[in-house]
Amino acid sequence: MIRFENVSVSFPQKNGQLHAVNNVSLSIGKGQIYGLIGASGAGKSTLLRTVNLLERPTAGRVYVNGELINGLRGKALRQYRRNIGIIFQHFNLAANKTVRQNIEFPLKAANMPKPQIKQRVDELLKLVGLSDKHDAYPAKLSGGQKQRVGIARALANNASILLCDEATSALDPETTVSILKLLEDINKRYGITIIIITHEIDVVKAICTKMAVMNSGSVVEYGDVIDIISKPNNNFTKKLISYAENFELPAEIINIFGKESIVKITYLGSEATEPILSNAIKENNVDISILHGKIDYIDYTPVGTLIVSVKGEDSDVRNAIEYIKSKTLRTEVGASEF
């Protein structure tokens, strides 16, 4: 549905050109929830804005539904943009307009008849759970409610593409979960293609099926979320995931157990529920202490990470680790993050 072919975006600077996006090629399928993740300044938002031509590519092509959009202007561009909704980190609501009036705005701009506007706004208020807030002003709303208004406004013209630019960054964790569930429900109900820009791995894990990692304007890794989270190939991606997981052990713990005994284990699918450590202890005469761990569910598949200490005779320890390696996705001994 959306295809970037060798897309670059540059901005003139006093000392030359700022290359915000460098030769990016990606495909996003119809109806997908796609995550673009990276640190601040990675080029995520700039790439996103090429989809609705708020930024025009300096080089390369952007296709939407098979149509090359680079050259769209005037009436054709305005008509095209009605198919695309965007929600922002800081909501961008008109402070002097009520919830209803904020949602009405794009419908009036599209010259929709008044009776249809009322019917459509009522539908959207019900969809986002704000039917009782239609006459409230943004100042009286919570952050989550403001974002729900933003979502309703973005969907007003029956958009088939929804662009989310750090849409949950200003929200608390509980509200973030509720907004992500709403977006997931909208995706399932209407088949809307959603692109989520974020610097938070947890957002991608919670809602996206596909993802791309950006660093310094380039895409360094892309594919299924579960594959990238469970077995990242790029060093930047590994660091990004490691920071988010926060599995760093205190120095005191490392000193007690010894770095050489510490093992990081990554499980995938049914591996996460098998008694692998218990069997390793029984069969190899070792002691295994669990130091840290968690299980995430990505696209309904469990992905588990455990950090353990394996103690015993050298040969027993080696055999136990080999057994664990044979039964899990990845096993790292004395890895650098410890």
Side-chain angles (χ1 to χ4, degrees), residues 142-195:
S142 67
Q145 289 170 334
K146 290 177 184 177
Q147 197 57 285
R148 287 172 182 269
V149 177
I151 292 170
R153 182 184 58 187
L155 297 175
N157 281 311
N158 294 299
S160 64
I161 299 171
L162 184 59
L163 310 179
C164 306
D165 194 359
E166 298 281 5
T168 60
S169 295
L171 305 176
D172 62 73
E174 183 178 355
T175 306
T176 292
V177 170
S178 71
I179 292 297
L180 292 178
K181 285 182 177 178
L182 175 60
L183 291 174
E184 189 173 32
D185 179 61
I186 289 168
N187 169 261
K188 290 178 178 177
R189 187 179 301 191
Y190 301 109
I192 294 174
T193 303
I194 300 177
I195 306 176

Side-chain angles (χ1 to χ4, degrees), residues 91-120:
F91 321 122
N92 287 21
L93 302 180
N96 63 339
K97 295 185 182 296
T98 65
V99 166
R100 179 177 290 278
Q101 290 169 339
N102 268 279
I103 300 171
E104 285 176 343
F105 180 79
L107 298 173
K108 289 182 175 179
N111 296 314
M112 181 180 284
K114 284 186 178 180
Q116 293 182 29
I117 289 177
K118 183 180 185 309
Q119 180 181 355
R120 180 61 177 154

Side-chain angles (χ1 to χ4, degrees), residues 193-232:
T193 303
I194 300 177
I195 306 176
I196 294 181
I197 297 294
T198 184
H199 60 275
E200 299 173 283
I201 284 284
D202 285 344
V203 168
V204 173
K205 289 193 295 189
I207 193 174
C208 301
T209 54
K210 300 276 187 178
M211 67 181 288
V213 182
M214 291 192 71
N215 185 31
S216 301
S218 299
V219 170
V220 297
E221 195 161 358
Y222 64 92
D224 292 341
V225 172
I226 193 165
D227 290 339
I228 292 176
I229 297 297
S230 62
K231 46 183 177 182

Side-chain angles (χ1 to χ4, degrees), residues 8-308:
S8 295
V9 182
S10 299
F11 302 102
Q13 302 280 295
K14 288 184 179 180
N15 299 322
Q17 293 284 317
L18 171 65
H19 301 291
V21 176
N22 298 312
N23 197 34
V24 168
S25 294
L26 276 180
S27 291
I28 298 172
K30 180 178 174 59
Q32 287 183 346
I33 305 180
Y34 200 102
L36 277 174
I37 188 166
S40 298
K44 310 181 298 297
S45 294
T46 302
L47 181 65
L48 185 80
R49 288 160 65 90
T50 66
V51 176
N52 58 4
L53 292 180
L54 289 177
E55 299 291 353
R56 291 185 179 270
T58 309
R61 298 176 175 86
V62 181
Y63 293 89
V64 177
N65 290 328
E67 176 188 2
L68 178 65
I69 67 166
N70 292 49
L72 292 178
R73 284 179 170 78
K75 183 178 179 181
L77 177 57
R78 290 193 296 273
Q79 187 67 34
Y80 164 74
R81 282 177 173 163
R82 288 179 187 172
N83 188 48
I84 300 172
I86 184 165
I87 56 176
F88 304 90
Q89 178 179 3
H90 296 297
F91 321 122
N92 287 21
L93 302 180
N96 63 339
K97 295 185 182 296
T98 65
V99 166
R100 179 177 290 278
Q101 290 169 339
N102 268 279
I103 300 171
E104 285 176 343
F105 180 79
L107 298 173
K108 289 182 175 179
N111 296 314
M112 181 180 284
K114 284 186 178 180
Q116 293 182 29
I117 289 177
K118 183 180 185 309
Q119 180 181 355
R120 180 61 177 154
V121 173
D122 287 344
E123 290 172 356
L124 291 164
L125 286 168
K126 183 177 179 180
L127 175 68
V128 300
L130 292 177
S131 295
D132 61 334
K133 298 290 184 181
H134 58 93
D135 285 333
Y137 286 88
K140 299 296 184 180
L141 302 178
S142 67
Q145 289 170 334
K146 290 177 184 177
Q147 197 57 285
R148 287 172 182 269
V149 177
I151 292 170
R153 182 184 58 187
L155 297 175
N157 281 311
N158 294 299
S160 64
I161 299 171
L162 184 59
L163 310 179
C164 306
D165 194 359
E166 298 281 5
T168 60
S169 295
L171 305 176
D172 62 73
E174 183 178 355
T175 306
T176 292
V177 170
S178 71
I179 292 297
L180 292 178
K181 285 182 177 178
L182 175 60
L183 291 174
E184 189 173 32
D185 179 61
I186 289 168
N187 169 261
K188 290 178 178 177
R189 187 179 301 191
Y190 301 109
I192 294 174
T193 303
I194 300 177
I195 306 176
I196 294 181
I197 297 294
T198 184
H199 60 275
E200 299 173 283
I201 284 284
D202 285 344
V203 168
V204 173
K205 289 193 295 189
I207 193 174
C208 301
T209 54
K210 300 276 187 178
M211 67 181 288
V213 182
M214 291 192 71
N215 185 31
S216 301
S218 299
V219 170
V220 297
E221 195 161 358
Y222 64 92
D224 292 341
V225 172
I226 193 165
D227 290 339
I228 292 176
I229 297 297
S230 62
K231 46 183 177 182
N233 293 314
N234 180 268
N235 285 334
F236 176 79
T237 307
K238 291 177 182 178
K239 289 180 181 178
L240 202 63
I241 294 170
S242 176
Y243 293 152
E245 288 178 336
N246 192 25
F247 279 135
E248 184 176 353
L249 297 176
E252 292 80 3
I253 297 297
I254 296 174
N255 290 335
I256 290 170
F257 289 94
K259 184 175 180 178
E260 68 284 351
S261 80
I262 298 176
V263 180
K264 181 181 180 181
I265 305 164
T266 303
Y267 303 82
L268 180 64
S270 61
E271 297 169 355
T273 57
E274 292 180 11
I276 294 170
L277 296 186
S278 177
N279 290 340
I281 293 169
K282 291 176 183 176
E283 295 180 14
N284 296 283
N285 194 31
V286 294
D287 293 321
I288 297 181
S289 302
I290 296 174
L291 308 180
H292 208 329
K294 66 180 295 189
I295 294 180
D296 287 310
Y297 288 86
I298 301 173
D299 199 18
Y300 305 105
T301 301
V303 179
T305 302
L306 276 180
I307 299 176
V308 304

